[in-house]
Amino acid sequence: SARGLALATVFTLAGIGSARSPKSEHIQVTTAASSYFSVNYQQATWSKIVPELGDDSPEITILRFAPKTQATHLLIRNPRKIHVPLHWHSANETHTILAGTMVFECEGKRDVLGPGSFNYIPAKMVHQAWLPDGGLVLITVDGAWDINWVAGGPTQTDVGVDPPPTPSK
């Protein structure tokens, strides 16, 4: 298959898992060779982002990693709604919502984004999100994708959590 022709490499996600005891997980990545390739959603390889949450953990699949720039394309899906606590990434990040309605909060500004919506979050900007049951988001990053938790990653208390009401002005 075209995917089989792609180069395999290992991409390290910093801080995945328990943020109280940081560790790295290795996730298999398909790196585009100099030829066309595609990834079929049903055949993608998914890894749990927070293994301690078991079947409630959001999952990630890396679609493409460019060795020269480290630019990364990935999908994150989540089986259950979950609060993703304050965190930041080393590179600029964009989100394109494919399924569900997601809430992003950056610098006190909150946006509710449904399918087809897009946002851009600059590198090192602290943000948090609330993801719905069955959510799916396409993320592009202009460097290697990582996640740096401000005060710890999601725990079981974040599963099933809706965003708090927006304060009235």
Side-chain angles (χ1 to χ4, degrees):
S1 75
R3 186 170 184 194
L5 295 175
L7 264 176
T9 187
V10 176
F11 181 71
T12 301
L13 299 178
I16 298 296
S18 173
R20 283 161 295 293
S21 57
K23 62 182 180 179
S24 295
E25 298 290 327
H26 296 282
I27 295 178
Q28 194 67 28
V29 178
T30 300
T31 302
S34 59
S35 62
Y36 167 85
F37 79 100
S38 60
V39 178
N40 184 308
Y41 180 82
Q42 289 77 15
Q43 296 171 339
T45 302
W46 295 89
S47 299
K48 295 196 181 307
I49 296 175
V50 187
E52 302 84 48
L53 295 179
D55 290 341
D56 291 334
S57 175
E59 296 178 315
I60 186 172
T61 187
I62 305 297
L63 302 171
R64 181 176 176 274
F65 176 79
K68 190 172 189 176
T69 64
Q70 297 187 346
T72 308
H73 295 83
L74 59 112
L75 288 172
I76 292 180
R77 67 182 182 187
N78 49 292
R80 297 224 19 236
K81 66 181 164 182
I82 189 168
H83 171 236
V84 181
L86 291 171
H87 65 282
W88 55 273
H89 307 282
S90 299
N92 299 316
E93 177 184 49
T94 69
H95 299 90
T96 303
I97 312 307
L98 302 177
T101 299
M102 301 184 182
V103 177
F104 292 86
E105 190 173 272
C106 303
E107 297 183 334
K109 181 180 182 204
R110 187 179 295 179
D111 290 309
V112 178
L113 304 175
S117 298
F118 170 89
N119 74 9
Y120 168 82
I121 301 175
K124 299 186 177 156
M125 178 177 278
V126 174
H127 58 284
Q128 63 184 328
W130 290 266
L131 311 179
D133 289 340
L136 180 65
V137 61
L138 171 68
I139 299 174
T140 58
V141 189
D142 61 10
W145 188 82
D146 63 3
I147 187 163
N148 302 280
W149 303 109
V150 172
T155 66
Q156 199 62 50
T157 60
D158 292 298
V159 175
V161 173
D162 288 315
T166 304
S168 34
K169 296 182 180 182

